[in-house]
Amino acid sequence: MPPADQPRNPPDAATIEAIARATIAGLPAEFRAHLGDVVLIVEDLADDETLDALGIAHPLDLTGLYHGRPVGEKSSMDSGGLPDRIHLYRRAILDEWIETGVDLHALVAHVTIHEIGHHFGLSDDDMHALEDSAGAA
């Protein structure tokens, strides 16, 4: 059960997206400048094709995913492909929220920044530093 200071009804996709967008808005300008073309998508669960490709057996085990090429690997010759995308999986996030009791905003921020980190090709340590700079830790 969520802590007393958190909502009792499961947050909808719009709520998760609003938290993620607020997290992005709180990032340092040098990161935000390279996120303009990245599409943020909130879905209930990852589809079977995505789970199979990642070798994940249960959809509640995947809270977020980055689809695209990291900024440092992009080329001016890239064209015609899908835009980079960050997927947040609402039900998996809510499951982790309930299991851990972590603040929902902190959890969504963590998942969002982790996926943004993949966009930039960051290490886990760099992702934690980015979380700290965004006030999401």
Side-chain angles (χ1 to χ4, degrees):
M1 175 161 245
D5 65 336
Q6 295 195 12
R8 298 284 179 207
N9 295 324
D12 61 11
T15 301
I16 300 295
E17 181 176 345
I19 295 168
R21 291 200 183 280
T23 298
I24 292 167
L27 292 173
E30 59 269 21
F31 285 95
R32 288 192 322 268
H34 297 283
L35 291 171
D37 294 335
V38 176
V39 177
L40 178 64
I41 302 166
V42 179
E43 301 172 286
D44 266 355
L45 295 167
D47 60 34
D48 289 338
E49 182 180 342
T50 299
L51 295 171
D52 290 346
L54 296 171
I56 296 175
H58 198 281
L60 293 178
D61 292 336
L62 184 62
T63 56
L65 183 65
Y66 170 71
H67 284 282
R69 289 180 58 198
V71 171
E73 295 178 16
K74 293 189 185 290
S75 163
S76 61
M77 301 304 288
D78 293 341
S79 67
L82 291 171
D84 293 350
R85 300 170 320 279
I86 293 174
H87 293 260
L88 301 179
Y89 300 112
R90 186 185 74 89
R91 289 192 44 210
I93 289 170
L94 296 181
D95 189 62
E96 185 172 329
W97 173 53
I98 290 166
E99 282 184 15
T100 64
V102 170
D103 176 79
L104 179 64
H105 288 78
L107 179 58
V108 172
H110 171 75
V111 174
T112 302
I113 289 173
H114 185 86
E115 301 315 324
I116 288 169
H118 289 302
H119 174 67
F120 289 103
L122 300 178
S123 69
D124 283 341
D125 287 342
D126 290 337
M127 287 182 210
H128 291 299
L130 183 57
E131 272 188 86
D132 291 344
S133 71

